[in-house]
Amino acid sequence: MADGISSFWGPVTSTTEWCEQNYVYSSYIAEFFNTISNIPGILLALIGLVNALRQRFEKRFSVLHISNMILAIGSMLFHATLQHVQQQSDETPMVWEMLLYIYILYSPDWHYRSTMPTFLFLYGAAFAVVHSLVRFGIGFKLHYALLCLLCIPRMYKYYIHTEDRSAKWLAKLYVVTLLLGGLCWLCDRLFCKDLSRLSFYPQGHALWHVFMGFNSYFANTFLMFCRAQQRGWDPKVVYLMGFFPYVKIQKPKVQ
């Protein structure tokens, strides 16, 4: 904690505390950069939500973008307070978001349409209840990593079956931002003491938030393209102001 600044939220009760020094800039924000670095993720999810609603994509994508925003807001609350309850508001939406990705990735080939969403909903609800009662440590990270690994084979299948070069580039940006974000996360965890001695601390966990905000946007946009292609909506990746990608569709006219 910085000298001369008291903690508005009281002692740290979360099971995880990051490398950034606490309460440097405000008594109301424990980890300043880890908190504000979630803002890009909220804005990107909002852009994706507007695009999904404006072009009337399936509701699953609107829910996905909203879940991205909820996760980013939960992360802000956690890093601002470092309290156990707010930690749950970060970690539980992380699991819910991955369950949504699993549904979007696997549901097109699932023959029993009601079983998958029902199971995933009950699984997410059960996890939220258990997580509110039990403090997970490494177990949560392993569980989350497993859910992420379940998505990889399907994402790769979508990639190899996509011929559009712009859509493939979205998938590559997804991988690049994931790797860069993961590297920042690992450096922040493994080399905290060494990095803290530098005159300028690089804020590895904050960079993880920024990269993952873009990572979610690229993943969502790629999946929207693939789903529109499955539905025969003639999707195209277009660029706002020449550099910001989004999916534009042309639904067939009803005869």
Side-chain angles (χ1 to χ4, degrees):
M1 185 179 296
D3 296 335
I5 298 182
S6 60
S7 163
F8 176 81
W9 305 104
V12 173
T13 59
S14 63
T15 59
T16 303
E17 191 173 358
W18 302 94
C19 193
E20 182 181 357
Q21 189 177 2
N22 297 345
Y23 298 104
V24 174
Y25 299 98
S26 170
S27 61
Y28 297 99
I29 302 177
E31 297 175 339
F32 181 79
F33 290 105
N34 287 351
T35 299
I36 65 170
S37 57
N38 286 284
I39 295 175
I42 296 174
L43 296 177
L44 289 166
L46 181 60
I47 292 171
L49 176 62
V50 170
N51 186 39
L53 292 173
R54 184 174 60 85
Q55 299 194 79
R56 297 184 179 179
F57 273 87
E58 292 165 302
K59 290 181 180 178
R60 65 187 69 181
F61 291 105
S62 298
V63 174
L64 182 60
H65 290 300
I66 292 172
S67 77
N68 294 153
M69 284 190 279
I70 291 174
L71 173 57
I73 293 170
S75 180
M76 291 183 76
L77 292 173
F78 167 44
H79 289 287
T81 64
L82 292 179
Q83 299 297 298
H84 178 61
V85 173
Q86 281 72 27
Q87 182 180 358
Q88 292 175 327
S89 72
D90 176 31
E91 293 180 348
T92 299
M94 287 173 67
V95 172
W96 288 349
E97 182 184 68
M98 293 314 303
L99 296 177
L100 273 170
Y101 278 119
I102 290 172
Y103 171 71
I104 290 172
L105 285 165
Y106 286 96
S107 63
D109 294 333
W110 195 262
H111 298 294
Y112 306 98
R113 294 188 177 182
S114 62
T115 56
M116 177 179 283
T118 301
F119 170 76
L120 293 176
F121 175 81
L122 293 175
Y123 186 92
F127 174 82
V129 172
V130 174
H131 193 35
S132 67
L133 301 173
V134 180
R135 292 198 174 200
F136 294 105
I138 188 64
F140 171 80
K141 296 178 179 64
L142 293 174
H143 175 241
Y144 183 74
L146 176 62
L147 294 178
C148 293
L149 289 173
L150 289 174
C151 296
I152 292 176
R154 195 67 174 182
M155 285 289 283
Y156 180 69
K157 180 181 179 180
Y158 279 15
Y159 175 80
I160 62 176
H161 285 89
T162 300
E163 297 181 356
D164 186 273
R165 293 180 64 183
S166 296
K168 282 184 173 289
W169 182 241
L170 286 173
K172 292 176 182 177
L173 287 172
Y174 160 76
V175 174
V176 169
T177 51
L178 179 61
L179 293 175
L180 290 174
L183 180 63
C184 292
W185 188 92
L186 283 173
C187 289
D188 189 80
R189 296 299 289 173
L190 299 178
F191 307 111
C192 176
K193 291 183 180 179
D194 296 325
L195 293 172
S196 298
R197 297 190 187 102
L198 299 176
S199 58
F200 174 76
Y201 175 63
Q203 304 296 341
H205 196 75
L207 289 173
W208 152 263
H209 287 157
V210 175
F211 279 123
M212 293 312 295
F214 280 96
N215 176 264
S216 297
Y217 180 81
F218 292 139
N220 296 356
T221 306
F222 176 70
L223 291 175
M224 290 169 73
F225 180 93
C226 294
R227 183 57 177 164
Q229 204 168 45
Q230 292 171 350
R231 298 296 300 269
W233 290 346
D234 189 26
K236 292 181 176 60
V237 178
V238 295
Y239 295 88
L240 180 65
M241 295 184 292
F243 70 93
F244 191 81
Y246 68 97
V247 176
K248 186 175 183 179
I249 59 175
Q250 184 65 49
K251 293 183 179 181
K253 296 181 180 180
V254 179
Q255 299 293 332

